[in-house]
Amino acid sequence: MGTTIERATVGIVGAGPAGLMLAHLLARAGIDTVAIDVRTRHEIETTHRAGILEQDSMRLLVDSGVSDRVLRDGHEHKGIELRFDGRNHRIDFHGLTGASTYLYPQTDVFIDLADARERDGGDVRFGVSGTAVTGIDGGAGQTPTVRFTDADGARVELRCDYVVGADGSHGTCRKLVPETLRRRFFREYPFAWFGVMVQAPPSAPELIYNRSERGFALISQRTEDLQRMYFQCSPGEDPDAWSDDRVLTELQARVAGGDGFELKTGPIAEKTVLPFRSFVQEPMRYGYLLLAGDAAHTVPPTGAKGLNLALADVRLLAEILERAVHGGDPAALDEYTDRALDRVWKAQHFSYWMTTMMHSLDPSAEVTPFDERRQVGELRTLVESESGRRFLAEGYTGWPGR
Ligand code: DHB
């Protein structure tokens, strides 16, 4: 079978939330795209990810015309509980900043975006293989090109003006930036999260971020009868070694306190161990290649910044590509790295800070008495200070754009 040559102004590698939101925003600006993904739509839809949208992420979905389902099926949360020393300390986001967050799982964001692309006649190809990107460094006579084999086995050569790498932390696009030009920043953590879906009603009206001497736990939610919960574990933990009973006993032990708080429990529908790391690759643009979302950076999950950061990247990228394509201003691309990294490093700090403030920092050590006391000192300082609470609220609900 031969190769079909096709054209798109922007080729998007990765059709998760970042890739599809970018395709949607560019379509509204009259810029055509083809988005591809190695995964099937079903695979992406059924992989559980985080569940919290910043106010501006919610507004982006609604105001750009993706869908207003988040307003009906999502839940506005006006604050969270920080729980330590066995009692709750509420952080009133709405009172402190005027902003809220929205409980709306990433899988629903993806479904809304994929439906919107279908509704609007967007070109999205799931289940491709053999992706290769060439011609991005701006050399004379080069054309940025994405080659792939589609789900039916047909070979395609997609010639573009720009290629966006939105193919996540395991994708190939970030590797296209030459080693001599890229810088990578890492932070590893000696723990992971054990994530479960519990068939039970919510245990509390808002999310509970819980610090205890047994380690961190997060009591989140999904629906009236399904709840998302996590607890800190070791990175090599085997989910199958944990019976439902053992999981629920551990979660309850972590949230136990003088107030008698009890989790509502039920059968566990799913168990997974989530990796934990911080990562940034700079620059986010190389020639005609632009990286967005996890392809350029990873945050640890505490504080739910990953999806929000990816959406902020592509909102900025859409504005910059529109100026380059329609505004006769290709130099606009030069702004991308610095403007995107401004938020990326704020989110890196926020996620690192929420993580290190609430987790047992070295669970393998017999005792870490200094850090145990220091963390409680930090948490008390934070909740007793309106400025401290506001600092957390501003970060959690999301900073304004640059
Ligand atoms: C969820 C995940 C997070 O990492 C977080 O900080 C809050 C909520 C969630 O999956 O519901």
Side-chain angles (χ1 to χ4, degrees):
M1 225 186 329
T3 298
T4 311
I5 296 179
E6 301 185 32
R7 251 214 63 83
T9 304
V10 182
I12 303 176
V13 182
L20 292 188
M21 177 57 90
L22 179 67
H24 172 78
L25 294 172
L26 291 176
R28 281 171 51 91
I31 297 172
D32 64 292
T33 62
V34 173
I36 63 170
D37 204 294
V38 293
R39 300 165 294 178
T40 63
R41 179 173 165 159
H42 179 74
E43 275 170 57
I44 306 177
E45 262 175 27
T46 50
T47 308
H48 294 296
R49 305 295 292 268
I52 294 290
L53 295 179
E54 293 172 2
Q55 173 131 330
D56 283 355
S57 300
M58 178 281 286
R59 287 255 60 96
L60 184 65
L61 284 172
V62 175
D63 296 348
S64 75
V66 172
S67 169
D68 61 4
R69 192 161 69 96
V70 56
L71 299 176
R72 283 175 277 118
D73 296 352
H75 296 272
E76 179 179 1
H77 283 194
K78 294 187 171 180
I80 55 167
E81 299 286 357
L82 283 189
R83 185 172 173 83
F84 58 94
D85 278 350
R87 68 184 192 89
N88 287 349
H89 306 265
R90 183 157 189 269
I91 310 293
D92 175 8
F93 296 159
H94 199 263
L96 289 160
T97 68
S100 297
T101 54
Y102 292 79
L103 180 85
Y104 194 65
Q106 178 164 332
T107 40
D108 285 292
V109 173
F110 170 77
I111 289 167
D112 291 349
L113 284 161
D115 286 348
R117 289 282 67 212
E118 258 181 45
R119 175 195 73 200
D120 299 345
D123 193 338
V124 184
R125 305 188 202 177
F126 293 105
V128 310
S129 56
T131 308
V133 177
T134 55
I136 47 159
D137 61 12
Q142 288 198 356
T143 305
T145 302
V146 184
R147 288 186 183 76
F148 59 92
T149 301
D150 73 15
D152 300 325
R155 287 218 302 274
V156 178
E157 180 175 319
L158 179 69
R159 298 184 180 167
C160 315
D161 295 335
Y162 303 97
V163 174
V164 172
D167 53 347
S169 53
H170 300 296
T172 55
C173 286
R174 65 157 72 144
K175 298 182 195 136
L176 297 169
V177 183
E179 253 174 77
T180 49
L181 296 179
R182 74 185 181 205
R183 220 173 141 193
R184 300 173 144 199
F185 302 83
F186 291 95
R187 162 80 52 161
E188 305 281 348
Y189 303 83
F191 44 78
W193 273 9
F194 199 113
V196 294
M197 288 287 187
V198 184
Q199 291 168 2
S203 295
E206 294 175 337
L207 269 56
I208 302 173
Y209 286 78
N210 182 90
R211 181 209 173 274
S212 83
E213 285 176 17
R214 300 180 71 92
F216 175 77
L218 170 58
I219 311 304
S220 182
Q221 311 169 352
R222 283 297 177 266
T223 63
E224 280 313 301
D225 39 34
L226 192 64
Q227 311 311 322
R228 185 69 162 150
M229 302 184 195
Y230 305 92
F231 62 93
Q232 174 183 2
C233 66
S234 81
E237 203 65 68
D238 172 13
D240 295 331
W242 287 74
S243 66
D244 288 13
D245 220 31
R246 187 175 169 210
V247 168
L248 294 168
T249 305
E250 184 60 38
L251 279 163
Q252 179 58 46
R254 295 201 189 189
V255 301
D259 60 0
F261 177 61
E262 280 199 35
L263 289 176
K264 298 214 164 59
T265 62
I268 292 183
E270 201 193 276
K271 293 178 235 159
T272 32
V273 171
L274 287 77
F276 236 78
R277 69 183 339 208
S278 302
F279 171 81
V280 180
Q281 176 172 301
E282 298 183 3
M284 287 172 64
R285 173 217 169 186
Y286 167 66
Y288 294 98
L289 173 73
L290 301 122
L291 300 174
D294 280 7
H297 43 71
T298 309
V299 289
T302 330
K305 280 282 167 266
L307 170 62
N308 292 292
L309 203 48
L311 294 176
D313 281 354
V314 298
R315 186 179 51 205
L316 170 62
L317 195 47
E319 175 217 304
I320 284 178
L321 283 169
E322 189 179 353
R323 278 164 53 204
V325 173
H326 287 322
D329 179 17
L333 295 186
D334 296 341
E335 294 175 17
Y336 179 57
T337 290
D338 284 353
R339 285 179 63 191
L341 285 177
D342 175 74
R343 179 185 296 270
V344 166
W345 281 109
K346 286 174 182 162
Q348 287 293 351
H349 171 69
F350 183 79
S351 307
Y352 164 91
W353 174 63
M354 287 280 285
T355 297
T356 52
M357 188 164 61
M358 304 208 76
H359 287 68
S360 295
L361 296 179
D362 188 358
S364 65
E366 283 271 299
V367 274
T368 52
F370 179 83
D371 277 326
E372 296 270 321
R373 298 283 198 281
R374 182 192 55 75
Q375 279 180 331
V376 175
E378 181 174 14
L379 283 160
R380 285 200 188 128
T381 318
L382 178 76
V383 300
E384 288 169 14
S385 153
E386 185 178 312
S387 310
R389 295 194 301 275
R390 180 171 290 118
F391 177 78
L392 192 150
E394 286 171 353
Y396 200 104
T397 58
W399 308 277
R402 269 247 181 131

